[in-house]
Amino acid sequence: MTAMVIDNLHKRYVDRYTGEEIVAIGDVSFSVHEGEFVSILGPSGCGKTTVLNIVAGFIEKTRGTVTVGGTEVTAPGPDRGVVFQSHALFPWKTVLGNVTFGLRMKGMDKARREQAGRDVLELVGLSGFERKYPHELSGGMQQRLGVARVLVNEPAVMLMDEPFASIDAQTRRKLQQDLTALFELRRPTVFFVTHDIEEAVFLSDRVVVLSGRPSTVRDIVEVPLPRPRNWHAAVESTDFRTTVTRIESLLSGEEAHVGDGS
Amino acid sequence: MRIAARVFAHPVVRTLGPFVPVVLLWWLIARSGIVNESFFAGPGVVWSEFIDLVRKGILPSYLSDSVTRLAYGVGFGLLLGIPLGFLVGLNRWARRLTWPVLIFFQAIADIAWLPIVIVWFGFSLTAVTFVIVYTIVFPLTLGVVAGVDQVPDELVRAARSMGASRFRVFLEVIVPGSLPAVASGIRTGLGYGWRALIAAEIIVGTSGIGFMMFDARRVGDVAEVFLGMIILGILWYALDALVLAPFEQATVERWGMVRQVETTR
Ligand SMILES: Nc1ncnc2c1ncn2[C@@H]1O[C@H](COP(=O)(O)OP(=O)(O)O)[C@@H](O)[C@H]1O
Ligand SMILES: [Mg+2]
């Protein structure tokens, strides 16, 4: 089943002060299957966040269609959970209050939502922190909460915009590893934005490689790595290296000549 | 050293300690005779004035008059300023229409209203309340607007994509998210209101701390003037320590939304 379809998406911004027009997205089409992990990769400023924000319903598109679960996207909704680079946790709510927010909006009763909240906190390794406030957590833990808060709602698709970009390199590796394990366990549908090639390859089933602005899809690369995945095995596998190299050459605009992966 | 640290950490010492040198200096100046006694009353004289006015019942009754007026003014001020702030902060049209007007009226100082207010309401509680409400509403409204503006877009977006309706977004995100600025708006508003009260009592008043001070000046009772000033300071300090600071500690500080301010307790 297809979870999400993006068809001939086009986005033009008009600068509020200069009135200048910027075509951020030229023409982008791809789809994500249910239970699939798809990354979108491209140079900074090529419109990745714009694509995600349109899917989330935060901003309007200029042309094209976006459908999630068979219905066209017009506004934000709980079928599309978003994990932000800035975490965007509610500072005035405890960890438990943050993680149960979506369930409360759905009208689930307190006992059930708190149980569900505790379960998902356990899953992301935040058990025991229920009563803490977000500012009392480290950056890595904050983003674990950001993931848990979305996961617990079981959205049709999880949207993640460079969720680990502001986290130190070592913790980032650990978070990527844990996200992979989580994905392999629960099989949510994930649409992931990043500019980090290795991250995209390690996490994804497929990687949508964008050109520079105005962006178009350069290619969609299948990642041939078996699951479960871990960093140690990945960096030593030739499949990992060739996929990374292939995407590097796609991004630098050359044709791939080193072992055409897909 | 550790004993000293413990002594300084004690709430009573921490609260009153900083005033010891102030009172000492005050006492020294009075004692030295640099300033004529009929212009400058020392701590001892002011203290006996205090006991005397309490015994006669004047001070308690004036104090309760002032506090009642402030409570009325503040009550109506909050009731008016907070909803107005959210309306202007959230509604584009309300903002466009009211912003210039808000700025205009904010610029007219509270006491500049007194002459016309006396014409309208006479020397009454209504006149005083009007001035206090006026003084509080503008900083409060502008504070709430600033608070609404400072709520990060992403928090609103996060709530919307977890199924929150616009109304729930207001209750769950805008209100708590704007609280740091709202709290400082309330603080500023109350401070202005407090000053307006005294000014109004001096001009309009027939009772109250402001009236007491000005009346004392008329008969040349410097000690009573000093006493009035000290009471003003103590009242504000008590309001801060008992209401404002605990509220901020329990909310915006607890949530890590503002830097911890010096605690008064
Ligand atoms: N609100 C906006 N108004 C005008 N231009 C914008 C706006 N948001 C993004 N852009 C421009 O669109 C392009 C793509 O931005 P973005 O989607 O954030 O890129 P990425 O996430 O790939 O770094 C950039 O050149 C950016 O300057
Ligand atoms: Mg981006």
Side-chain angles (χ1 to χ4, degrees), chain A residues 53 58-59 75-78 80-82 84-86 88-93 98 101-102 104-105 131 133 135-136 149 153, chain B residues 151-152 154-166 168-169 171-174 176-178 250 253-257:
Chain A
N53 281 345
F58 297 152
I59 59 175
R80 285 149 289 138
V82 183
F84 298 86
Q85 183 181 334
S86 62
L89 303 169
F90 304 124
W92 48 86
K93 289 190 188 297
N98 268 281
F101 184 85
R104 198 155 61 81
M105 293 302 114
R131 301 267 150 243
Y133 283 91
H135 75 104
E136 298 170 305
R149 182 175 73 165
N153 300 318
Chain B
V151 177
E154 302 219 313
L155 293 188
V156 174
R157 289 177 163 186
R160 296 276 289 144
S161 63
M162 285 187 283
S165 62
R166 284 186 190 282
R168 291 306 281 275
V169 168
L171 286 185
E172 307 269 351
V173 181
I174 305 289
S178 58
E253 277 177 42
R254 180 76 187 89
W255 305 332
M257 292 171 76

Side-chain angles (χ1 to χ4, degrees), chain B residues 68-83:
Chain B
T68 308
R69 284 168 192 151
L70 185 70
Y72 269 103
V74 167
F76 285 117
L78 292 178
L79 236 53
L80 210 65
I82 291 180

Side-chain angles (χ1 to χ4, degrees), chain A residues 13 22 24 43-50 213:
Chain A
Y13 285 110
I22 305 159
S44 181
C46 76
K48 305 181 293 293
T49 295
T50 304
R213 200 170 46 122

Side-chain angles (χ1 to χ4, degrees), chain A residues 190-246:
Chain A
V190 183
F191 174 55
F192 193 97
V193 165
T194 181
H195 67 266
D196 177 339
I197 301 175
E198 296 201 342
E199 177 176 73
V201 173
F202 176 69
L203 292 170
S204 313
D205 297 314
R206 286 186 299 146
V207 180
V208 178
V209 181
L210 296 185
S211 69
R213 200 170 46 122
S215 50
T216 52
V217 177
R218 271 247 153 96
D219 202 356
I220 299 176
V221 178
E222 298 258 358
V223 180
L225 296 178
R227 293 187 185 273
R229 293 179 185 172
N230 71 70
W231 269 113
H232 293 294
V235 289
E236 278 170 18
S237 92
T238 35
D239 279 341
F240 181 81
R241 292 258 51 102
T242 44
T243 312
V244 168
T245 314
R246 168 133 185 264

Side-chain angles (χ1 to χ4, degrees), chain B residues 62-138:
Chain B
Y62 277 9
L63 195 59
S64 94
D65 282 353
S66 286
V67 172
T68 308
R69 284 168 192 151
L70 185 70
Y72 269 103
V74 167
F76 285 117
L78 292 178
L79 236 53
L80 210 65
I82 291 180
L84 186 63
F86 280 116
L87 181 70
V88 175
L90 289 169
N91 187 293
R92 206 150 29 108
W93 284 106
R95 185 179 301 213
R96 273 186 205 160
L97 288 174
T98 57
W99 197 253
V101 182
L102 282 175
I103 302 295
F104 173 83
F105 279 107
Q106 190 209 13
I108 306 172
D110 40 22
I111 26 181
W113 275 89
L114 275 171
I116 192 68
V117 164
I118 292 168
V119 171
W120 291 341
F121 304 115
F123 293 82
S124 64
L125 178 61
T126 318
V128 179
T129 311
F130 180 95
V131 174
I132 298 173
V133 170
Y134 183 90
T135 332
I136 290 177
V137 161
F138 292 99

